[in-house]
Amino acid sequence: MERNHVLAQFEPRQENLLLILHSLQNNNPQNYLTQDDLSATADFLNLTKSSVYGVVKYYTMFSLKPRGRHLIRTCMSPVCRLLGGRDILIELEKLLGIKWGQTTKDGFITLEPSKCLGCCGNSPALLVDRTLHGNLTKAKLREIIAGIRNPSKLINKRGRQCQKKK
Amino acid sequence: MPEKKIGLKNAGIINPESIGDYIAAGGYDGFKKALHMTSADVIAEIEKSGLRGRGGAGFPTGMKWKTAFNSTSYPKYVICNADEGEPGTFKDRIILEQDPHSCLEGVMLASYAISAHKAFIYVRGEYFLPEKMMRKAIADARDAGLLGDNILGSGYSLDVQIKLGAGSYLCGEEFCLVESLEGKRGYPRIKPPFPAEKGVFFQPTIVNNVETLSHIPHIIREGADWYRTMGTEKSPGTKIFTLCGDVNKPGAYEAEMGVPLKELIYTFAGGIANGKTIKTALVGGASGTFVPPSELDMQMDYDSLKSKGFTLGSGAVIVLGEGRSLPEFLFGILGFFQHESCGKCVPCRAGTTSLRNAMEDILAHPRRKIKNEKSLSEMEWLSTLMLKTSLCPLGQSPYFPITSAVKYFKNDFLGKE
C-alpha cells in the first residue's frame, strides 16, 4: 500500500500517532520505519519530525533499521529466565547463526529479545510475528524455525523457476 | 477454600467470539439494568461493594469514579488499562482472550456512570490475540446496538476505541498510559492532579484495570451485598492469582481475597515442581516482595500483606524452588527495571543502572563477604532513596524486592549457602 493510503485511514490527530506508526511499519516488507515515513507522518499530523522521532525511539516495537520479514521476539522476563529462557535464546542464536538484535543474511528472520510477553504460565515463551509459542524446548524450537523457513523455500523455488523461464 | 470465579467466570466456557454466548450467560444484563438507574446510583453501588483496583495499587474504584463524576469539566473519558507487562502476570490476557465482552461491559458501565461518551481500551502492542478478540467484541456490540448513538433507546451514546501500545512496560502506569494514548512518549506526569481530575487531554478520566472492569457487570447485576459476601472486610471480592515459576501446574487461579498463600501454591498450583521444597515466592510480580517459607500461611489480601510489609501488586506469585539462585533472579529483575526506566527523573534513571551494576558485581564475586555486605546495604539505601524521590511507581519498585530479599535471604548474597 502507498504511504499516503495508509495515512488516509486515520484522522490527522496526534492521538493516532502510535496507530499510524504501527500501520506504516507493518506496511513495510522489512518491518521498519524509514526517514520518509517519519517526515510524512510529521507533516500529516502537523508535528515536527524530531518529536515523531522521539516517540519512535521511546517504544521498543518500532525500528529505524531494516529488519527481517519475520520477527522472533524471545521473552527475557525474570520468569522465563528462571525456566531456561537464556538457553532458548542461545539455542536460537545457534540455529539462526545470528546474535540477538541481528537479521539473518537472507533478510528473512530478525531475532529480538522482549521484556515480558505475558505468558509466564507457559514459560519459556517466544512470539513469532503475531503467534505466541509457549513451553519451549530445543526440539520445539527447531520445529518452529522450520515452520517459518518452509514457506520461504517454496517462494524461492518459484522465484528461481520464473527466472529460468525468462 | 475452593476456587471462586468472577473475572474468569466465562473464561474457557463460552465462545469468546460470540456475543450470543455471552448474553446467554447473563452478559449485558448489568448494563441494561444500569440504563434504568441514575449515574449516582451506579457509583453508589460500586462504592458500597468496596471494589478495589486490581491493577496493583488497590485504590477504591468507587472513589475514583466519584471524583470524575463530581468534576464539572466535560467531556470525560474512560480508559481500560490492558497494558499488562508485569513479569509473572497474565490475568488480563486471559480475560481479553477468553471473555472480552465482560471487560467491554465494564467499560460501558464506567462510561455510563460518569457520563463519558468516549472510552479507550489501551492494549499493549505485543498482545495480538487479545487485541483481535477485543476488536471483534466491540464490532459485535456495535452491531447489537449496545454501542453507538442512543443505546437501546436510552438517549445515552458511547463510542469505544482500541489504542495500541508499542512495547513499554512503563505505559501500564496510569499517567504514562495517558501520555502514550495522546501520541507522546510515555512519560509520567506529576501527581496531583490525578487522572480522575485531569487525565487524557487534561479532562477527567477514569483509568481502570481489565480485571477491575470485568467485576463491574457482576456487581451491578447481583448487587453490592452479594459482592461483599466474598473476600475480607477491607478487600471484598475475588482476585485472580497468576502462579508461575517452579510449580507443577502454573496458571491463573481465581479465589476469594484472603486465601492463604500456601493453598494457592500447594492446592491450586499442585505444589513445587520436581518434588523440591520451596525456597521463596515473589508475590506481586517484579515490583513485589520475596516471601520466606515461614510466612506461607499468610492471607492474600491488600491489608494483611501490607501489615507484614509485603505487597499484593497485580496478584502474581512467582515460586522459586530449592536450589534456585536468588542473586541471579534479583539481577534479572533489576535488569528489567533498568531497561524499562524512561529516564525522565534522575533517581530512577541513575538508580536503576547503579542497582543493576551493584548486583552484577555481587554475582561476579560471590565470595567477597565484607564487600558484598557493604554493597547490599548501599543498595538498600539507594532503593529507599528512589522510593522517596522517584516520580512514578517504576522508580519506587526496586525497593520491595531488594529489601525483602536482604531481610530474609541475606546469606545467599554473601557466598555461604
Side-chain angles (χ1 to χ4, degrees):
Chain A
M1 219 196 293
E2 288 272 321
R3 187 183 299 125
N4 289 341
H5 290 222
V6 176
L7 291 175
Q9 295 169 349
F10 298 95
E11 282 180 57
R13 284 204 307 259
Q14 193 183 351
E15 56 160 292
N16 289 328
L17 178 55
L18 291 189
L19 295 177
I20 292 173
L21 292 172
H22 270 299
S23 296
L24 285 172
Q25 182 164 280
N26 293 342
N27 193 40
N28 188 314
Q30 284 177 297
N31 266 315
Y32 79 115
L33 292 160
T34 62
Q35 292 297 325
D36 290 346
D37 284 336
L38 301 193
S39 308
T41 311
D43 288 345
F44 181 67
L45 296 176
N46 205 10
L47 296 169
T48 57
K49 190 181 168 188
S50 63
S51 65
V52 174
Y53 177 84
V55 170
V56 170
K57 286 299 270 186
Y58 181 84
Y59 296 97
T60 49
M61 281 179 82
F62 298 131
S63 172
L64 289 167
K65 283 187 212 140
R67 292 188 284 190
R69 201 180 320 161
H70 297 282
L71 292 181
I72 299 183
R73 296 190 175 96
T74 55
C75 187
M76 283 281 104
S77 78
V79 184
C80 281
R81 278 172 72 112
L82 184 77
L83 297 176
R86 243 213 157 105
D87 298 338
I88 293 292
L89 183 62
I90 292 168
E91 181 71 14
L92 256 179
E93 287 179 341
K94 226 184 339 180
L95 280 173
L96 296 171
I98 49 172
K99 292 278 167 206
W100 62 264
Q102 295 178 338
T103 307
T104 51
K105 272 184 187 157
D106 54 1
F108 203 67
I109 297 173
T110 297
L111 185 60
E112 280 184 352
S114 169
K115 274 301 158 180
C116 181
L117 296 174
C119 191
C120 314
N122 301 317
S123 296
L126 60 74
L127 198 63
V128 179
D129 295 327
R130 289 169 168 261
T131 319
L132 200 57
H133 298 271
N135 297 327
L136 295 172
T137 56
K138 287 183 179 176
K140 213 169 164 184
L141 265 188
R142 263 175 233 118
E143 255 173 55
I144 293 168
I145 300 292
I148 310 170
R149 288 262 185 216
N150 225 6
S152 87
K153 279 180 188 164
L154 290 173
I155 294 163
N156 281 348
K157 256 184 195 166
R158 276 186 212 141
R160 254 181 260 136
Q161 280 168 351
C162 288
Q163 278 173 354
K164 271 178 192 171
K165 274 180 189 172
K166 271 178 191 173
Chain B
M1 212 182 267
E3 268 194 275
K4 184 102 189 174
K5 295 181 176 184
I6 295 179
L8 296 177
K9 187 174 161 252
N10 294 327
I13 296 170
I14 64 164
N15 176 3
E17 291 188 271
S18 155
I19 190 171
D21 273 20
Y22 179 67
I23 290 172
Y28 291 112
D29 284 355
F31 182 61
K32 284 171 192 161
K33 187 179 167 189
L35 288 178
H36 298 289
M37 295 160 75
T38 63
S39 298
D41 287 345
V42 174
I43 293 173
E45 196 71 18
I46 298 300
E47 254 195 318
K48 201 174 144 202
S49 74
L51 175 65
R52 296 172 71 167
R54 298 292 196 256
F59 190 79
T61 307
M63 208 188 278
K64 219 183 227 183
W65 288 20
K66 211 171 182 178
T67 312
F69 176 74
N70 286 336
S71 171
T72 48
S73 177
Y74 287 89
K76 296 173 182 176
Y77 297 97
V78 169
I79 300 175
C80 166
N81 183 350
D83 189 75
E84 182 179 54
E86 188 71 49
T89 313
F90 46 98
K91 62 191 174 63
D92 297 348
R93 185 168 61 81
I94 293 179
I95 295 177
L96 291 172
E97 279 178 8
Q98 304 188 4
D99 191 16
H101 283 286
S102 72
C103 172
L104 182 61
E105 192 182 350
V107 171
M108 288 155 68
L109 282 161
S111 307
Y112 179 75
I114 63 159
S115 310
H117 297 290
K118 178 120 196 175
F120 299 101
I121 297 174
Y122 185 97
V123 186
R124 71 179 286 204
E126 293 94 336
Y127 273 18
F128 296 106
L129 185 60
E131 180 218 338
K132 190 180 144 204
M133 289 299 190
M134 200 32 128
R135 240 176 242 291
K136 173 101 171 56
I138 293 172
D140 287 349
R142 199 169 284 144
D143 289 344
L146 292 161
L147 283 175
D149 293 331
N150 190 14
I151 298 166
L152 305 174
S154 65
Y156 174 69
S157 308
L158 175 67
D159 180 37
V160 180
Q161 201 186 345
I162 287 189
K163 290 278 181 184
L164 281 183
S168 163
Y169 163 72
L170 192 51
C171 288
E173 198 275 331
E174 46 188 7
F175 262 138
C176 300
L177 191 150
V178 161
E179 287 276 308
S180 174
L181 201 141
E182 290 177 6
K184 301 174 191 159
R185 290 167 77 99
Y187 279 167
R189 290 182 193 163
I190 292 168
K191 291 179 192 176
F194 291 92
E197 297 155 284
K198 273 186 175 22
V200 72
F201 313 122
F202 295 95
Q203 292 296 326
T205 309
I206 293 179
V207 185
N208 274 150
N209 178 260
V210 171
E211 192 189 350
T212 316
L213 288 166
S214 71
H215 282 220
I216 307 280
H218 298 274
I219 295 173
I220 297 296
R221 200 172 63 218
E222 313 276 347
D225 293 327
W226 163 81
Y227 195 74
R228 277 205 165 270
T229 57
M230 291 168 290
T232 62
E233 175 63 29
K234 286 192 172 155
S235 312
T238 59
K239 173 91 192 77
I240 304 174
F241 298 97
T242 48
L243 282 111
C244 49
D246 293 326
V247 285
N248 280 323
K249 292 189 286 176
Y253 300 94
E254 188 166 7
E256 285 184 36
M257 282 275 193
V259 59
L261 179 57
K262 202 174 204 166
E263 199 173 324
L264 282 176
I265 296 172
Y266 289 98
T267 313
F268 292 149
I272 313 300
N274 305 327
K276 287 187 181 162
T277 52
I278 185 168
K279 182 184 176 79
T280 179
L282 179 62
V283 175
S287 46
T289 42
F290 289 101
V291 176
S294 57
E295 297 279 358
L296 284 186
D297 287 320
M298 188 174 54
Q299 286 198 339
M300 298 285 280
D301 63 77
Y302 292 110
D303 302 291
S304 306
L305 284 164
K306 204 175 172 186
S307 68
K308 290 190 173 172
F310 301 116
T311 55
L312 180 60
S314 54
V317 179
I318 305 170
V319 179
L320 273 72
E322 200 55 63
R324 293 289 189 185
S325 159
L326 203 67
E328 198 134 309
F329 190 70
L330 191 60
F331 174 66
I333 292 175
L334 294 175
F336 173 80
F337 285 131
Q338 188 228 358
H339 181 265
E340 295 297 334
S341 174
C342 78
K344 181 172 178 174
C345 68
V346 179
C348 177
R349 185 203 321 147
T352 47
T353 308
S354 298
L355 288 176
R356 184 191 166 278
N357 290 349
M359 197 63 234
E360 194 170 19
D361 192 47
I362 292 177
L363 270 178
H365 307 94
R367 301 211 171 273
R368 272 188 334 198
K369 200 180 157 216
I370 298 167
K371 176 87 193 302
N372 285 356
E373 201 159 1
K374 199 171 158 235
S375 320
L376 274 182
S377 63
E378 276 171 10
M379 281 172 73
E380 273 192 288
W381 173 82
L382 181 58
S383 59
T384 314
L385 180 83
M386 288 164 69
L387 176 75
K388 288 177 180 165
T389 52
S390 294
L391 200 52
C392 84
L394 193 140
Q396 297 160 5
S397 292
Y399 171 83
F400 299 100
I402 289 176
T403 47
S404 57
V406 173
K407 187 174 173 189
Y408 298 107
F409 301 98
K410 196 169 185 179
N411 286 345
D412 284 35
F413 295 89
L414 305 179
K416 45 170 190 180
E417 280 288 292

